[in-house]
Amino acid sequence: MNLTELGWDSAWDELLPAVSEVEYGLGRVSAEHKHLYRVFTEQGETLAQVSGRYRYDAQSRSEFPVIGDWVLITSSSDDDRAIIRGILPRRNKFSRRAAGENEEEQVLVAKIDAVFVVSSLNRDFNLRRMERYLVLAWESGGNPVIVLNKADLCEDVYSKVAEISSIAPGVPVHAISCETGQGVDQLTPYFGTGKTVALLGSSGVGKSTQLNCLLGEAVKRTGTVRSQDGRGRHTTTHRQMHLLPQGGLVIDTPGLRELGLWGSDEGISSTFDDIDWYSVRCRFADCRHQGEPGCAVKEALDSGELDWARYRSYLKLQKEMAYISRRENLFEALEEKAKWKQIHKEIKRIKKR
Ligand code: GDP
Ligand code: ZN
């Protein structure tokens, strides 16, 4: 493996001058166990743990490495585990709010290029649920791609594709079957060398099957990876980053219930940009679309141009989001400060070693 295969690119180089003077190895976290990590490095996959110093310095859960993070490591002399000394700042991520008074952010996966929003084409097909997943996907900062699996179980693939396209303008839609292999090669372009793809979708839609299919033979090895601590086989963790034999990386992410919205408006407005399109055409700039004269949203709803169910879904998600941001505003200013403090601290910490 070289770093490019693991997703390193020139944007990361810019973050590196601060550390290049010192002798660290670079690695990318591929799995998280309780206090142990697995890390892809140029030498292969290794077990690693954070240094005592790191643990001491870390102020919140989100400062610890997660799957997808780039980390600075050194090898330790007394056993085969590498030591994680620091992480590079995250470029994008999936988060969930961890329970607690401050609604601490818990980052689950870092740095994704594309997010496959996976649904199945049989009875689980649900536009409203897809909208929620799309909001999440946009929030993560990766590019959403809709993957409709189980095409073999569906009689009218075309109309389903049309339906989903109508709620996700501009998002690529692919109908595939992991069972028959139909359409699977449409996904190849997303898996270039060093590209990281996250799979997002409810359980049962076929994410594991797809992963197996992508990994081919390699998946069988995953379960039996020899750990370097000599304890034999690893138990595969729930979430894990896989390196594909043909290049590219895939992460299976937890589903909706576990992820939850994080409260950035961006996800909502990207998902529902058709509704934005109407609302800027309302006569009043502050139109609330509740019966004001000249309301373009109401007109679109009346004419059927805009689907009521979709509009209700939008209102519901917006309400949720407003609730989240109200709570968030309280912490926002503080958080922003802390974030920059953290970035400076990270760079200092890295320089120090
Ligand atoms: P996950 O929970 O999203 O990881 O879903 P799984 O990969 O475990 O798949 C759930 C079930 O759907 C399994 O029984 C699979 O064999 C089945 N399945 C997955 N993909 C397809 C497909 O394309 N066609 C059909 N007919 N079944 C599929
Ligand atoms: Zn209006």
Side-chain angles (χ1 to χ4, degrees):
M1 298 183 226
N2 65 44
L3 294 181
T4 313
E5 282 169 343
L6 295 177
W8 191 267
D9 60 28
S10 55
W12 292 110
D13 280 329
E14 283 166 32
L15 296 165
L16 205 58
V19 302
S20 57
E21 334 145 19
V22 267
E23 290 295 298
Y24 287 117
L26 278 164
R28 200 161 176 214
V29 177
S30 65
E32 235 183 297
H33 306 274
K34 259 203 188 93
H35 297 290
L36 269 184
Y37 296 89
R38 277 204 275 160
V39 178
F40 285 144
T41 71
E42 283 182 299
Q43 284 74 44
E45 198 172 28
T46 178
L47 283 175
Q49 56 197 143
V50 298
S51 67
R53 174 66 182 271
Y54 190 122
R55 195 179 301 279
Y56 181 79
D57 282 350
Q59 288 180 341
S60 71
R61 180 134 64 144
S62 64
E63 291 182 33
F64 282 90
V66 297
I67 296 174
D69 268 333
W70 281 99
V71 290
L72 297 162
I73 52 175
T74 52
S75 52
S76 78
S77 45
D78 40 311
D79 60 32
D80 288 333
R81 280 178 201 169
I83 308 293
I84 298 176
R85 306 280 176 180
I87 66 177
L88 296 189
R90 292 182 180 125
R91 276 155 61 184
N92 64 29
K93 64 201 172 184
F94 268 120
S95 303
R96 75 171 155 206
R97 26 196 71 249
E101 238 169 71
N102 293 10
E103 305 223 319
E104 195 186 16
E105 176 181 20
Q106 185 185 359
V107 180
L108 294 174
V109 172
K111 187 58 188 96
I112 311 130
D113 296 295
V115 181
F116 282 10
V117 178
V118 187
S119 168
S120 58
L121 276 164
N122 58 347
R123 56 190 184 288
D124 296 324
F125 186 81
N126 180 325
L127 294 177
R128 305 286 83 88
R129 196 189 308 135
M130 288 299 272
E131 278 162 349
R132 298 182 72 92
Y133 275 119
L134 281 167
V135 172
L136 273 175
W138 285 112
E139 278 195 330
S140 80
N143 289 318
V145 174
I146 294 173
V147 177
L148 301 175
N149 186 31
K150 308 198 188 179
D152 57 298
L153 298 180
C154 179
E155 307 270 272
D156 52 348
V157 173
Y158 281 112
S159 69
K160 289 287 200 293
V161 168
E163 268 180 67
I164 208 99
S165 300
S166 76
I167 67 144
V171 178
V173 181
H174 303 285
I176 65 163
S177 166
C178 293
E179 190 78 13
T180 66
Q182 167 195 349
V184 172
D185 53 353
Q186 297 169 60
L187 305 177
T188 318
Y190 301 104
F191 296 104
T193 299
K195 292 266 167 56
T196 310
V197 173
L199 301 180
L200 184 63
S202 310
S203 97
V205 297
K207 298 181 299 298
S208 325
T209 312
Q210 198 191 339
L211 192 60
N212 278 282
C213 176
L214 288 164
L215 286 165
E217 273 299 295
V219 75
K220 292 193 195 104
R221 267 185 277 134
T222 321
T224 55
V225 169
R226 290 146 278 102
S227 66
Q228 304 203 350
D229 62 358
R231 273 186 228 144
R233 142 205 298 245
H234 277 302
T235 42
T236 22
T237 42
H238 174 55
R239 236 168 324 119
Q240 199 176 335
M241 184 169 73
H242 302 270
L243 192 60
L244 301 182
Q246 64 274 34
L249 301 125
V250 184
I251 307 174
D252 38 349
T253 57
L256 256 189
R257 221 177 320 150
E258 217 184 323
L259 272 167
L261 302 174
W262 183 243
S264 81
D265 282 336
E266 243 168 88
I268 289 257
S269 60
S270 304
T271 307
F272 295 99
D273 66 352
D274 53 335
I275 295 178
D276 278 357
W277 190 89
Y278 292 116
S279 59
V280 297
R281 283 163 180 76
C282 294
R283 185 179 307 161
F284 303 112
D286 60 350
C287 183
R288 301 180 61 204
H289 326 308
Q290 290 174 352
E292 291 95 329
C295 175
V297 172
K298 182 166 187 306
E299 270 169 37
L301 286 167
D302 287 345
S303 73
E305 227 176 294
L306 179 59
D307 180 29
W308 263 107
R310 176 167 172 79
Y311 186 60
R312 273 194 296 270
S313 156
Y314 166 77
L315 291 179
K316 193 160 161 247
L317 283 163
Q318 213 181 31
K319 215 155 115 192
E320 259 174 63
M321 208 61 104
Y323 172 75
I324 292 168
S325 7
R326 260 200 315 277
R327 307 198 57 162
E328 208 153 69
N329 283 340
L330 294 170
F331 304 107
E332 203 170 60
L334 284 171
E335 253 172 27
E336 185 65 9
K337 246 195 205 156
K339 191 173 87 195
W340 283 103
K341 204 173 123 210
Q342 174 58 22
I343 289 174
H344 291 142
K345 207 173 78 190
E346 250 160 46
I347 289 173
K348 256 193 244 155
R349 178 158 73 196
I350 287 163
K351 274 185 174 162
K352 242 188 301 191
R353 292 196 179 106

